C-alpha cells in the first residue's frame, strides 16, 4: 500500500503545501483514514497524540470546502483552548495556498467582543470548545445550515469534561446530511453510543501510537509522604537537569501546591490548570515553549494539546488512575525517536496503579532507588522572554522583531529564540546576556514606523 499523498487526488496547491512542509509520507492513520474521508464517508479514528490525525481530517475538510460560499461549512469541536488553537493553526498552515479561507477559533475564557465581531464578518471553518460554540449559537450568531463536515476531536476528553449535552444540542442544529469525523484516543462505551447517535455507517480505523515507548526510559519511585514526594521531585530535577520538563498532577489544587513548593525551593517553574485566565495561560505556555521557564506543572486536561518540542523529561508527581493516560503523559518526551525520560512517584496505597500500568504496557516494573539530592543550586533556563505590546492587529511580524534586534541593534541572531505573534501582543525569547540591549532597542527603536512598549516577563 503506497504512503504517498500524491495518490489521494488532492488539489495541486495542497500537494505543493504538503511538500513544502516536508509531509511526503502519510502516517498510518492518514493512510487508512484519508481515502475514506475524501470519499465523504463518516470515519471513527482511534489514535493518540502524534499520530497525524489533525492533518488527516484537515485535508478532508479543506477538500470539501467551497471557498466561494462564505458560510460556515466545517465545525471542529475540541475539549480545550490549547488544542483548538493548535488545530486551527494546522488547518491554516495546510490551507495557505488556497486563497481567502477564513478559519475562526471560538473558545471559552476569551473575550466575547472580538469573537462576535469576527462572526459578523463570516467564516468557512469554526474551531472551538463546545461550551463557547453553544453560547454563540444560542444568541443566533452561528448558522450551521450549510455545514458539510463536523469533526469531534479528542471526543473521549470532551465527554470526560461534561460536554455531552452541549455536543448533542450543537449536532441537533446541524444538517443531518453531512460528513462526521470522530477522533478519540480511547473508545469507552459512551463514545460508542455517541458515534451511534451522530454518525451514519462509520468506518472504524485504529492505529497504534507513533510514540515508541522503547525510546522512553521509565523509572518508578516509592515515597512515604507528601513531603518525601517533594524531596524526591527536587532530587530528580537536580540530578537530571532537564532543560524542559512537565510535572503532571491529578488535580488543580495539587498543581498549585507543587508549583509553590518548587518556587520556594528556587526552581524556574510555571503552572497550568483549567481555572487560569486565557492571558495567563498564553503567557505560561509561551514562556515554557520558548525555554524561558524550565518546568511546567499541569493537570492532564490543561496539558491536552500542549505543543512543545524537545521535552527532556516527564515527572508524574501523582500516577494517573488510567494507564492509558499514563502512556499519553510519558509520550510527550522522547518524540521523533529521541531519547526521553519519565519518572513516576507513588506511595503504598497507589501500588495498584503501578500494577495496572505494568499490565497495560506489558513491562516489568520494579521500584528504583532515589538519587541523593545533589548540593548544587537549581538550574536556570538560558532564555528570557520580552513582551511587546503590539501584535497581528498592529501588523507586527516576526521579521520586524528579528530585524530590529539583529539589523538595528546589531545583536547576534543565534542568541534570539522563538518569536510568537498573537493578536495584540508579541513575545521574543533572548539569551540572558543580551536582554538589556534587546529590551532597550524594542523600547526606544521603531517597528513599522512606530514605537511599542516592551517589558521583560518575570
Amino acid at each position: 500500500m503506497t504512503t504517498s499523498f500524491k495518490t489521494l487526488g488532492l488539489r495541486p496547491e495542497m500537494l505543493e503545501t504538503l511538500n513544502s512542509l516536508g509531509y511526503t509520507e502519510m502516517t498510518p492513520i492518514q493512510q487508512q483514514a484519508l481515502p475514506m474521508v475524501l470519499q465523504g464517508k463518516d470515519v471513527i479514528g482511534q489514535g493518540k497524540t502524534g499520530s497525524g490525525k489533525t492533518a488527516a481530517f484537515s485535508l478532508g475538510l479543506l477538500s470539501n470546502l467551497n471557498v466561494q460560499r462564505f458560510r460556515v461549512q466545517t465545525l471542529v469541536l475540541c475539549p480545550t483552548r490549547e488544542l483548538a488553537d493548535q488545530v486551527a493553526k494546522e488547518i491554516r498552515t495546510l490551507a495557505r495556498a488556497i486563497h481567502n479561507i477564513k478559519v475562526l477559533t471560538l473558545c471559552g475564557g476569551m473575550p466575547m467582543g472580538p469573537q462576535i465581531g469576527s462572526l459578523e464578518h463570516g467564516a468557512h471553518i469554526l474551531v472551538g470548545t463546545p461550551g463557547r460554540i453553544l453560547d454563540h449559537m444560542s444568541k443566533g450568531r452561528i448558522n450551521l445550515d450549510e455545514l458539510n463536515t463536523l469533526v469531534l476531536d479528542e471526543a473521549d476528553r470532551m465527554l470526560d469534561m461534561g460536554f455531552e449535552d452541549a455536543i448533542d444540542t450543537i449536532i441537533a442544529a446541524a444538517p443531518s446530511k453531512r460528513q462526521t469525523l470522530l477522533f478519540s484516543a480511547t473508545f469507552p462505551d459512551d463514545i460508542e453510543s455517541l458515534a451511534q447517535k451522530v454518525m451514519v455507517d462509520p468506518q472504524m480505523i485504529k492505529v497504534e501510537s507513533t510514540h515508541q515507548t522503547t525510546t522512553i526510559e521509565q523509572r518508578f519511585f516509592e515515597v512515604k509522604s507528601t513531603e518525601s514526594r517533594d524531596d524526591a521531585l527536587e532530587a530528580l530535577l537536580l540530578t537530571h537537569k532537564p532543560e524542559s520538563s512537565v510535572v503532571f498532577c491529578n488535580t488543580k489544587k495539587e498543581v498549585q501546591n507543587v508549583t509553590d513548593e518548587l518556587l520556594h525551593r528556587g526552581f524556574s517553574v510555571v503552572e497550568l490548570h483549567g481555572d487560569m485566565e486565557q492571558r495567563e495561560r498564553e503567557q505560561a505556555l509561551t514562556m515554557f515553549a520558548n525555554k524561558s521557564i524550565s518546568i511546567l506543572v499541569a493537570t492532564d486536561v490543561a496539558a491536552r494539546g500542549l505543543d512543545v518540542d524537545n521535552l527532556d523529561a516527564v515527572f508524574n508527581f501523582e500516577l494517573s488512575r488510567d494507564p492509558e493516560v499514563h502512556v499519553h503523559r510519558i509520550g510527550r518526551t522522547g518524540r521523533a525517536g529521541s531519547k526521553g525520560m519519565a519518572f513516576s512517584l507513588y506511595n503504598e496505597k497507589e501500588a495498584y496503579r503501578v500494577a495496572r500500568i505494568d499490565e497495560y504496557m506489558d513491562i516489568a516494573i520494579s521500584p528504583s532507588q532515589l538519587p541523593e539530592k545533589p548540593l548544587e543550586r537549581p538550574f536556570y533556563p538560558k532564555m528570557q522572554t520580552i513582551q511587546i505590546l503590539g501584535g497581528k492587529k498592529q501588523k507586527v511580524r516576526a521579521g520586524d522583531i528579528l530585524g530590529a534586534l539583529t539589523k538595528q541593534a546589531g545583536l547576534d541572531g543565534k542568541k534570539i529564540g522563538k518569536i510568537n505573534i498573537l493578536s495584540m501582543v508579541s513575545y521574543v525569547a533572548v539569551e540572558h546576556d543580551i536582554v538589556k540591549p534587546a529590551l532597550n532597542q524594542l523600547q526606544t527603536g521603531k517597528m513599522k514606523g512606530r514605537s511599542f512598549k516592551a517589558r521583560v516577563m518575570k
Side-chain angles (χ1 to χ4, degrees), residues 89-342:
K89 187 177 171 187
E90 181 142 8
I91 293 171
R92 287 186 191 105
T93 302
L94 290 168
R96 66 187 179 199
I98 309 165
H99 297 301
N100 301 322
I101 284 187
K102 180 103 177 273
V103 183
L104 263 189
T105 314
L106 302 170
C107 299
M110 297 288 284
M112 272 283 196
Q115 293 184 0
I116 294 167
S118 297
L119 282 167
E120 283 170 357
H121 289 107
H124 296 103
I125 299 166
L126 300 181
V127 184
T129 49
R132 182 51 65 95
I133 295 286
L134 191 56
D135 279 352
H136 286 299
M137 282 175 60
S138 65
K139 302 285 193 307
R141 298 183 199 118
I142 294 174
N143 182 328
L144 299 180
D145 288 353
E146 297 197 31
L147 188 82
N148 57 39
T149 311
L150 172 71
V151 182
L152 303 172
D153 193 14
E154 300 207 351
D156 51 349
R157 294 296 153 199
M158 287 198 281
L159 297 190
D160 285 349
M161 291 166 73
F163 283 133
E164 188 168 6
D165 288 348
I167 291 169
D168 286 346
T169 310
I170 292 165
I171 289 169
S176 54
K177 195 168 185 278
R178 62 164 195 272
Q179 182 178 31
T180 306
L181 309 173
L182 184 152
F183 291 84
S184 188
T186 59
F187 206 72
D189 292 345
D190 50 359
I191 288 288
E192 202 163 336
S193 62
L194 175 67
Q196 282 173 359
K197 266 193 303 190
V198 305
M199 305 180 88
V200 178
D201 188 24
Q203 308 298 302
M204 180 77 186
I205 287 159
K206 184 173 181 177
V207 298
E208 293 308 310
S209 168
T210 54
H211 299 322
Q212 292 299 314
T213 46
T214 49
T215 67
I216 300 166
E217 182 188 340
Q218 282 203 78
R219 292 190 205 165
F220 291 77
F221 303 93
E222 189 171 352
V223 292
K224 297 283 184 277
S225 62
T226 303
E227 194 181 328
S228 60
R229 218 179 269 251
D230 291 331
D231 292 339
L233 179 59
E234 181 181 21
L236 289 166
L237 282 164
L238 290 174
T239 301
H240 295 282
K241 299 186 183 63
E243 188 184 16
S244 284
S245 61
V246 174
V247 178
F248 281 107
C249 302
N250 293 338
T251 64
K252 178 190 72 181
K253 179 123 184 58
E254 200 61 76
V255 165
Q256 292 167 328
N257 291 342
V258 172
T259 304
D260 290 346
E261 190 59 40
L262 287 173
L263 283 169
H264 175 67
R265 296 183 186 217
F267 287 94
S268 157
V269 59
V270 73
E271 66 187 20
L272 189 70
H273 56 74
D275 278 3
M276 290 167 69
E277 300 232 340
Q278 178 64 9
R279 183 179 49 82
E280 295 175 305
R281 293 160 78 93
E282 271 174 3
Q283 288 180 3
L285 282 169
T286 299
M287 290 172 72
F288 180 64
N290 71 19
K291 313 283 189 192
S292 297
I293 295 277
S294 301
I295 304 160
L296 179 75
V297 185
T299 56
D300 291 300
V301 167
R304 205 74 182 181
L306 189 66
D307 188 17
V308 177
D309 302 326
N310 307 323
L311 208 55
D312 302 302
V314 163
F315 297 88
N316 292 305
F317 190 78
E318 302 170 291
L319 283 177
S320 169
R321 296 169 187 85
D322 181 348
E324 184 135 20
V325 171
H326 176 84
V327 174
H328 184 85
R329 283 178 177 185
I330 69 168
R332 300 191 165 281
T333 180
R335 291 197 169 195
S338 61
K339 200 86 178 142
M341 298 185 292

Side-chain angles (χ1 to χ4, degrees), residues 348-383:
E348 199 180 344
K349 285 182 184 168
E350 296 164 323
Y352 74 96
R353 293 183 186 173
V354 179
R356 287 173 73 182
I357 292 164
D358 184 316
E359 184 185 356
Y360 184 81
M361 297 189 73
D362 196 20
I363 53 174
I365 297 173
S366 53
S368 298
Q369 182 74 36
L370 269 167
E372 290 290 321
K373 187 175 104 175
L375 295 172
E376 300 155 46
R377 291 179 59 74
F379 47 93
Y380 279 91
K382 67 176 185 179
M383 309 302 273

Side-chain angles (χ1 to χ4, degrees), residues 57-124:
F57 66 71
S58 298
L59 290 168
L61 63 88
L62 289 170
S63 298
N64 222 355
L65 203 67
N66 176 358
V67 185
Q68 275 70 46
R69 290 292 299 158
F70 205 52
R71 299 284 184 276
V72 175
Q73 295 171 48
T74 296
L75 175 61
V76 184
L77 295 177
C78 302
T80 65
R81 292 189 285 255
E82 284 74 28
L83 185 64
D85 284 338
Q86 202 178 318
V87 167
K89 187 177 171 187
E90 181 142 8
I91 293 171
R92 287 186 191 105
T93 302
L94 290 168
R96 66 187 179 199
I98 309 165
H99 297 301
N100 301 322
I101 284 187
K102 180 103 177 273
V103 183
L104 263 189
T105 314
L106 302 170
C107 299
M110 297 288 284
M112 272 283 196
Q115 293 184 0
I116 294 167
S118 297
L119 282 167
E120 283 170 357
H121 289 107
H124 296 103

